[in-house]
């Protein structure tokens, strides 16, 4: 068992001990007459236990989370110190090297030339009238491109020369029998950033006893340094945790006395815990929203908002090569909004009547026996994974619809159509609407029904004139929740509605939705800063705003309803 | 039947011969899922007067009221036997449509229950479902008339389109009374109409009941002896499903014959 685990165990034992110590001391302080205590003995126990265990365990937790990073930094710093004399040697070698110097000067000169050409181009671009010379402009552009290529080549040459010098210094040091750790330090301090990170990651892997991506003498040497830091840190934190636990135990135990308000202290600790949990929940939400927002802003820096929101063509292409200008695709999201709207509309046309009527039947007509079986069954419908609905739509509903409409004389009925996706999505949403509406209808006070019956109204008159108006806000809330489900639904549409961004109102055509496009944009290997991938965040933001608005409205409506009948 | 004699005693108890009998009950029994709630109740309630039903909770007062407009039909497991006539017509007869009956026998409940509609639509509810008004003007007239009779017109005339639930408790109860009046009932049943109201609202309702007495046969259930004494001309005392004593209010309160009645009105049990 590792030292940390042992210490954690010890702290848990102390925590339990602290509970009994606090309890016992409280009882002893009043000689068993616990009525004289301000708080029940258990509260004294909790109080001591919490202050014994909590800070120490938090310390261990922090150690577990951050130890690797700390060890890595300490190891890196030590490796650099080890390599300081070799680094000085390298600097000397570079300064003494004529070839390096001339390469550097050349690179600087080339850069100056490129900048001069850029300035010329800028001047020409600002010029007006006769001075404007397109031919000259083209020639200058070509020259600038050449100059930039030359700069890149020169920079590479400088780096290459530097690499040679590094290798030479390292070889000399090895030949002179320099310590391995100094060589390791030299390697890690002279390597480019990615290689340095890889080296340090491998070092820590070896120190942890895991398999590194490669092995070398230098890595093993560095790992031994890391192991030392790891152990030191482990013992330091472990010791601190034990001290903190003991101090907590001693201090809080001494606080226990009859008048001590342990109950209130425990209460405020519980409050703090609850607060912390909600803060975590809120922060996560805020974090997600902000990342959506920032990535969307990056997208909108390459594609204007107006084009995205009002453009009629959606064909996000990715440029295959960096110099392929004009290949960034069209990002007009209107076809997606229209597709989402069409499918949602079809789904609600199915779900609202069936859901509402079944809710009315269940709550007003069905006997208790039927209700007791039918309602759980409906709720099972809500528990079917949407991917199952998806292949139901694809394999059963879509062929049936195609068959039906072909038979009716329509030609070119797509296999994947808005209609099949919408129908199945509607079926998926029925239980939401019926179950929520049923609850709402049931909570309409019986007194209202009695009042209506006593006026001589029949049952259906009572339902349509009294019960439904009373339940209306709640029903609207249920419907809005259903709509936001439909808008956000992905699996069914991916499978049954297709991927072509047609701008159409014809339910027999294949359409695509916001969610489907997000899936399409982000699946497969993608670079993460092309407009194509970033547009997924913008779509996500739109989706988020739509559902947010609907949920807020739904909650408002339901709330207004509650105020009235509680 | 062994108790034939006993109830023939209690039938004519009201004694006020000026008004014709409106509601006539003979041997009415009610059970809920086999549990007896009302035992052989026989009573004659005169028209154009207020009859108070008093008695401890659970003694069957509401149950008896619900027999009069067949609201017991809506309760599962309720069984009603015996003869119950309004204007000589058998209420429990198969040929009687409860929907029509209920238009004729209005009911006001303990807790005001205005519908989630405007004040106007609340009152217009009955006339609309029964098709009592042929034009909008006629409906307006019915609504105004009913609200006036319920003493609410002056308070709500300028906000007829406000929701009924926006009124105070006492106003809501008068709105419900107006709603019942709007379909021209002959009998109005009130089941503890004031128990959710403050004393001032209660006084207004009592005043209203006193005015309505001119035109309707009113039966009111109440737990307040003072209220029964103030508003009613006849009082019936129920106890454990039995009608124990029935007579003029004055007789019942000054000269109760049954010891149980005496105990109840003097507050010794209940
Ligand atoms: N809906 C019902 N289902 C079953 N039993 C009922 C129902 N309503 C009333 N009862 C029973 O009938 C008896 C009389 O009730 P009720 O008429 O409400 O009394 P009261 O109105 O005088 O207080 C009580 O014992 C009560 O439990
Ligand atoms: Mg009652």
């Amino acid at each position: 068992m590792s030292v940390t685990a042992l210490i954690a165990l010890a702290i848990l034992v102390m925590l339990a001990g602290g509970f009994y110590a606090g309890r016992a001391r409280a009882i002893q302080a009043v000689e068993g007459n616990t009525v004289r205590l301000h708080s029940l003995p258990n509260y004294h126990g909790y109080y001591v236990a919490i202050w014994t265990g909590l800070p120490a365990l938090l310390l261990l937790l922090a150690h577990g989370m951050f130890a690797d990073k700390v060890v890595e930094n300490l190891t890196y710093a030590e490796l650099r110190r080890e390599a300081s004399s070799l680094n000085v040697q390298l600097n000397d070698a570079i300064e003494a090297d004529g070839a390096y110097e001339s390469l550097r000067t050349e690179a600087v000169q080339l850069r100056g030339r490129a900048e001069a050409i850029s300035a010329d181009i800028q001047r020409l671009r600002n010029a007006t009238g006769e001075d404007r010379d397109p031919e000259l402009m083209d020639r200058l552009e070509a020259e600038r491109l050449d100059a930039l290529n030359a700069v890149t080549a020169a920079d590479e040459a400088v780096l290459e020369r530097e690499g040679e010098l590094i290798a030479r210094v390292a070889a000399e040091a090895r030949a002179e029998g320099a310590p391995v750790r100094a060589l390791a330090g030299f390697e890690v301090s002279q390597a480019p950033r990615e290689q340095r990170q890889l080296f340090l990651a491998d070092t820590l892997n070896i120190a942890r006893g895991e398999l590194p991506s490669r092995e070398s003498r230098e890595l093993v040497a560095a790992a031994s340094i890391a192991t030392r830091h790891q152990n030191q840190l482990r013992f330091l934190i472990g010791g601190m945790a034990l001290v903190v636990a003991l101090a907590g135990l001693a201090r809080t135990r001494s606080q226990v006395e009859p008048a001590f308000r342990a109950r209130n202290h425990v209460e405020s600790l519980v409050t703090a815990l609850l607060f912390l949990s909600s803060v975590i929940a809120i922060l996560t939400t805020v974090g997600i929203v902000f990342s959506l927002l920032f990535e969307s802003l990056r997208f909108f820096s390459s594609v204007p908002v107006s084009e995205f929101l009002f453009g009629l063509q959606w064909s996000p292409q990715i440029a295959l090569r960096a110099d392929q200008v004009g290949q960034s695709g069209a990002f007009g999201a209107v076809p997606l909004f229209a597709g989402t709207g069409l499918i949602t509309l079809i789904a609600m046309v199915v779900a609202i009547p069936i859901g509402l009527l079944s809710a009315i039947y269940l709550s007003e007509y069905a006997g208790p026996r039927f209700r007791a079986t039918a309602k759980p069954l409906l709720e099972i419908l809500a528990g079917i994974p949407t991917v199952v609905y998806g292949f139901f739509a694809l394999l059963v509903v879509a062929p049936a619809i195609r068959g039906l409409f072909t038979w009716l004389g329509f030609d070119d009925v797509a296999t994947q159509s808005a209609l099949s996706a919408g129908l199945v999505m509607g079926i998926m949403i029925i239980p939401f609407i019926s179950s929520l509406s049923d609850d709402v209808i049931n909570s309409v006070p019986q007194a209202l029904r009695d009042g209506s019956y006593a006026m001589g109204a029949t049952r259906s008159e009572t339902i349509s004139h009294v019960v439904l108006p009373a339940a209306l806000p709640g029903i609207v809330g249920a419907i809005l929740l259903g709509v936001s489900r439909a808008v956000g639904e992905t699996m069914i549409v991916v499978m049954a509605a297709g991927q072509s961004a047609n701008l159409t109102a014809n339910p027999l055509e294949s359409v695509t939705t916001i969610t489907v496009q997000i899936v399409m944009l982000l699946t497969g290997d993608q670079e993460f800063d092309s407009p194509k991938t970033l547009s997924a965040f913008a779509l996500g933001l739109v989706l988020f705003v739509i559902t947010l608005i609907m949920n807020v409205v739904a909650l408002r409506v339901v709330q207004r309803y509650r105020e009235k009948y509680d | 039947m062994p108790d034939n004699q006993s109830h023939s005693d209690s039938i004519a108890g009201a004694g006020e011969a000026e008004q014709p009998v409106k509601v006539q009950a003979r041997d009415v029994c009610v059970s809920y899922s086999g549990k007896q709630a009302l035992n052989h109740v026989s009573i004659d309630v005169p028209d154009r007067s207020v009859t108070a039903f008093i008695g401890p909770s659970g003694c069957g007062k509401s149950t008896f009221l619900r027999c009069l407009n067949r609201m017991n039909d809506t309760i599962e497991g309720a069984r009603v036997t015996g003869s119950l006539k309004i204007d000589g017509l058998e209420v429990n007869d198969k040929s009687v449509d409860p929907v029509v009956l209920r238009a004729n026998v209005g009911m006001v409940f303990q807790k005001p229950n205005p519908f989630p509609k405007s004040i106007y639509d609340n009152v217009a509810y009955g006339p609309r479902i029964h098709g009592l008004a042929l034009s909008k003007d006629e409906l307006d007239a019915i609504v105004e008339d009913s609200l006036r009779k319920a003493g609410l017109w002056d308070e709500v005339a300028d906000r007829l389109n406000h929701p009924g639930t926006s009124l105070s408790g006492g106003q809501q109860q008068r709105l419900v009374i107006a709603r019942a009046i709007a379909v021209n009932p002959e009998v109005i049943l009130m089941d503890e109409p004031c128990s959710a109201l403050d004393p001032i609202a209660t006084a207004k309702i009592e005043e209203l009941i006193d005015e309505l007495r001119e035109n309707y046969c009113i039966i009111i259930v109440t737990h307040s002896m003072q209220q029964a004494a103030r508003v009613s001309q006849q009082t019936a005392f129920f106890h454990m499903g039995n009608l124990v004593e029935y007579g003029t209010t004055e007789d019942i309160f000054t000269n109760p014959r049954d010891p149980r009645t005496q105990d109840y009105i003097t507050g010794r049990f209940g």
Side-chain angles (χ1 to χ4, degrees):
Chain A
M1 204 191 283
S2 81
V3 183
T4 317
L6 273 177
I7 291 174
L9 197 69
I11 290 172
L12 286 178
V13 170
M14 279 162 73
L15 185 144
F19 175 76
Y20 287 107
R23 219 184 103 92
R25 193 179 158 102
I27 295 175
Q28 187 205 344
V30 290
E31 286 148 3
N33 180 12
T34 49
V35 179
R36 277 181 48 220
L37 286 173
H38 168 271
S39 311
L40 289 175
N42 275 358
Y43 281 112
H44 292 276
Y46 295 141
Y47 177 70
V48 176
I50 288 171
W51 281 115
T52 306
L54 196 64
L57 288 176
L58 283 180
L59 205 60
L60 290 185
L61 188 71
H63 174 254
M65 290 199 316
F66 303 116
D68 277 357
K69 205 72 214 157
V70 173
V71 168
E72 187 182 307
N73 282 336
L74 287 174
T75 308
Y76 178 52
E78 182 164 340
L79 282 172
R80 278 178 63 126
R81 274 200 305 281
E82 292 281 352
S84 57
S85 72
L86 285 178
N87 283 340
V88 172
Q89 273 179 38
L90 177 67
N91 277 348
D92 292 347
I94 287 176
E95 265 167 40
D97 191 58
Y100 182 84
E101 189 56 41
S102 65
L103 283 171
R104 274 282 296 263
T105 345
E106 197 188 327
V108 170
Q109 279 167 358
L110 283 171
R111 185 161 285 127
R113 218 173 89 77
E115 271 161 19
I117 298 175
S118 292
D120 280 352
I121 292 176
Q122 198 58 44
R123 204 164 338 107
L124 220 71
R125 199 169 275 159
N126 291 340
T128 48
E130 287 134 46
D131 291 344
R132 239 195 142 115
D133 185 349
E135 248 173 61
L136 180 63
M137 190 79 168
D138 286 350
R139 220 179 56 229
L140 280 178
E141 281 287 2
E143 264 180 42
R144 190 173 74 125
L145 208 63
D146 287 346
L148 284 178
N149 283 338
V151 168
T152 317
D155 282 347
E156 269 167 21
V158 171
L159 277 179
E160 197 178 322
R161 181 65 197 156
E162 195 181 328
E164 283 167 21
L165 290 174
I166 292 172
R168 204 176 71 201
V169 172
E172 276 168 13
R174 204 168 284 132
E176 283 165 18
V180 190
R181 37 177 55 205
L183 288 170
F186 188 57
E187 184 178 338
V188 81
S189 52
Q190 292 304 330
R193 215 168 70 109
E194 297 90 52
Q195 275 175 35
R196 183 193 309 153
Q197 277 168 358
L198 193 64
F199 185 95
L200 289 172
D202 278 338
T203 304
L204 280 162
N205 277 342
I206 297 177
R208 274 196 301 259
E210 288 161 19
L211 226 53
S213 63
R214 71 191 169 110
E215 272 185 78
S216 71
R217 280 188 327 135
E218 282 81 6
L219 272 177
V220 174
S224 75
I225 296 177
T227 310
R228 200 181 70 238
H229 285 301
Q230 220 170 30
N231 287 337
Q232 279 172 359
L233 194 69
R234 194 175 282 158
F235 281 107
L236 181 72
I237 300 290
M240 263 165 67
L242 284 177
V243 170
V244 167
L246 276 174
L249 178 63
R251 160 123 183 81
T252 49
R253 203 182 92 92
S254 73
Q255 279 178 320
V256 171
E257 51 157 4
F260 180 63
R261 307 189 166 192
R263 194 178 175 191
N264 308 31
H265 281 281
V266 172
E267 187 66 27
S268 44
L269 280 170
V270 169
T271 314
L273 187 75
L274 298 179
F275 175 73
L276 210 68
S277 311
S278 55
V279 165
I280 289 174
I282 292 168
L283 282 186
T284 330
T285 316
V286 169
I288 291 174
V289 171
F290 269 85
S291 87
L292 259 188
L293 211 60
F294 284 128
E295 300 297 333
S296 303
L297 283 181
R298 275 176 69 193
F299 171 72
F300 288 130
S301 68
S302 50
V303 176
V305 183
S306 55
E307 188 198 321
F308 174 74
L309 287 181
F310 305 114
L312 299 183
Q313 210 207 338
W314 177 263
S315 54
Q317 245 94 51
I318 189 168
L320 293 178
R321 292 199 317 275
D323 54 349
Q324 261 183 326
V325 191
Q327 278 296 303
S328 56
F331 288 99
V334 170
L336 309 190
F337 300 153
T340 308
L342 180 63
I343 291 184
T344 305
L345 185 75
I346 297 172
M348 295 326 279
V349 165
V350 174
I352 292 177
I354 299 183
L356 203 54
L357 293 179
S358 69
I360 292 173
Y361 179 75
L362 275 183
S363 55
E364 298 288 318
Y365 289 93
R369 272 257 227 56
F370 181 79
R371 204 181 125 79
T373 38
K375 209 172 174 205
L377 276 179
L378 265 177
E379 270 150 19
I380 288 176
L381 207 58
I384 295 176
T386 54
V387 68
V388 175
Y389 282 107
F391 64 69
F392 175 63
L394 185 64
L395 300 180
V396 181
V397 179
I401 285 177
R402 198 170 128 101
L404 176 69
F405 280 91
T406 315
W407 181 72
L408 285 175
F410 289 83
D411 36 84
D412 298 342
V413 182
T415 329
Q416 295 184 310
S417 64
L419 187 59
S420 55
L423 281 181
V424 173
M425 198 191 284
I427 294 172
M428 179 196 83
I429 293 170
I430 289 172
F432 276 86
I433 295 190
S434 72
S435 189
L436 282 174
S437 305
D438 176 58
D439 290 345
V440 171
I441 292 175
N442 265 321
S443 65
V444 171
Q446 183 61 30
L448 286 184
R449 293 188 185 85
D450 286 345
S452 174
Y453 290 138
M455 292 297 301
T458 61
R459 197 192 285 229
S460 64
E461 283 165 349
T462 301
I463 290 168
S464 58
H465 294 311
V466 175
V467 177
L468 287 186
L472 192 65
I475 291 173
V476 170
I479 290 174
L480 284 178
L481 287 181
V483 172
S484 67
R485 267 301 292 234
V487 169
E489 172 50 39
T490 316
M491 236 28 240
I492 294 175
V493 263
V494 167
M495 296 173 84
Q499 282 103 51
S500 43
N502 292 328
L503 183 54
T504 175
N506 178 359
L508 297 177
E509 269 186 60
S510 164
V511 298
T512 191
T513 66
I514 300 177
T515 51
V516 172
Q517 282 308 308
I518 293 178
V519 172
M520 295 301 142
L521 290 167
L522 294 183
T523 40
D525 277 338
Q526 303 286 355
E527 42 171 332
F528 247 90
D529 41 9
S530 70
K532 182 181 167 183
T533 32
L534 287 177
S535 69
F537 287 96
L539 288 178
L541 187 66
V542 171
L543 202 60
F544 168 72
V545 170
I546 295 175
T547 20
L548 181 74
I549 290 175
M550 256 164 343
N551 286 350
V552 167
V553 172
L555 280 180
R556 272 286 166 81
V557 169
V558 172
Q559 234 162 35
R560 225 188 56 201
Y561 167 76
R562 287 225 180 93
E563 278 163 9
K564 214 145 96 187
Y565 287 110
D566 269 357
Chain B
M1 244 189 247
D3 51 3
N4 235 340
Q5 231 183 338
S6 71
H7 62 77
S8 62
D9 281 350
S10 56
I11 294 168
E16 280 199 10
E18 308 138 38
Q19 294 293 348
V21 171
K22 186 81 181 171
V23 176
Q24 187 189 55
R26 290 294 177 272
D27 278 326
V28 171
C29 300
V30 180
S31 62
Y32 294 107
S33 316
K35 193 177 140 262
Q36 195 80 4
L38 215 54
N39 285 321
H40 298 282
V41 170
S42 299
I43 189 170
D44 285 343
V45 179
D47 200 3
R48 292 173 206 279
S49 67
V50 179
T51 304
F53 286 3
I54 59 172
S57 286
C59 66
K61 308 179 296 288
S62 302
T63 299
F64 186 67
L65 283 198
R66 282 199 299 266
C67 292
L68 297 176
N69 60 353
R70 286 193 40 187
M71 282 292 278
N72 280 325
D73 290 11
T74 65
I75 296 175
E76 222 164 302
R79 218 177 85 81
V80 182
T81 58
S83 155
L84 190 57
K85 289 184 175 147
I86 295 180
D87 283 335
L89 280 173
E90 181 58 50
V91 165
N92 287 319
D93 200 79
K94 288 258 180 332
S95 65
V96 171
D97 180 2
V99 165
V100 176
L101 170 72
R102 288 176 197 152
N104 196 32
V105 182
M107 189 164 193
V108 175
F109 298 83
Q110 180 171 357
K111 229 180 119 212
N113 58 353
F115 301 143
K117 298 167 176 295
S118 68
I119 294 171
Y120 182 96
D121 288 338
N122 260 285
V123 181
Y125 184 76
R128 278 191 179 132
I129 58 175
H130 295 295
L132 299 185
L134 296 176
S135 66
K136 173 89 174 95
D137 288 345
E138 246 179 274
L139 191 59
D140 287 350
I142 293 178
V143 169
E144 178 174 347
D145 185 50
S146 308
L147 283 170
R148 277 192 198 286
K149 281 186 185 154
L152 196 58
W153 177 253
D154 296 333
E155 288 159 64
V156 301
D158 54 344
R159 48 176 176 146
L160 289 175
N161 56 349
H162 286 214
T165 44
S166 66
L167 298 173
S168 74
Q171 288 174 322
Q172 286 187 14
Q173 199 63 302
R174 278 181 284 150
L175 174 65
V176 170
I177 293 174
R179 188 175 74 190
I181 292 173
V183 288
N184 267 323
E186 292 171 20
V187 181
I188 300 177
L189 312 173
M190 299 187 176
D191 196 346
E192 304 178 33
C194 300
S195 59
L197 303 183
D198 64 74
I200 295 174
T202 300
K204 281 215 174 112
I205 301 275
E206 286 180 4
E207 208 176 298
L208 173 61
I209 291 172
D210 208 48
E211 284 166 20
L212 292 175
R213 173 159 71 92
E214 312 256 301
N215 300 306
Y216 304 92
C217 166
I218 296 175
I219 302 179
I220 176 173
V221 171
T222 177
H223 281 293
S224 154
M225 297 305 117
Q226 291 92 329
Q227 185 169 63
R230 277 193 302 262
V231 301
S232 71
Q233 285 74 52
Q234 296 79 234
T235 298
F237 172 65
F238 286 76
H239 186 236
M240 294 174 65
N242 296 308
L243 173 60
V244 172
E245 190 167 349
Y246 178 47
T248 61
T249 301
E250 212 187 316
D251 279 349
I252 295 278
F253 280 95
T254 54
N255 192 13
R257 279 173 290 157
D258 196 289
R260 287 171 291 181
T261 317
Q262 173 139 32
D263 285 349
Y264 184 72
I265 58 179
T266 52
R268 240 171 289 170
F269 72 68

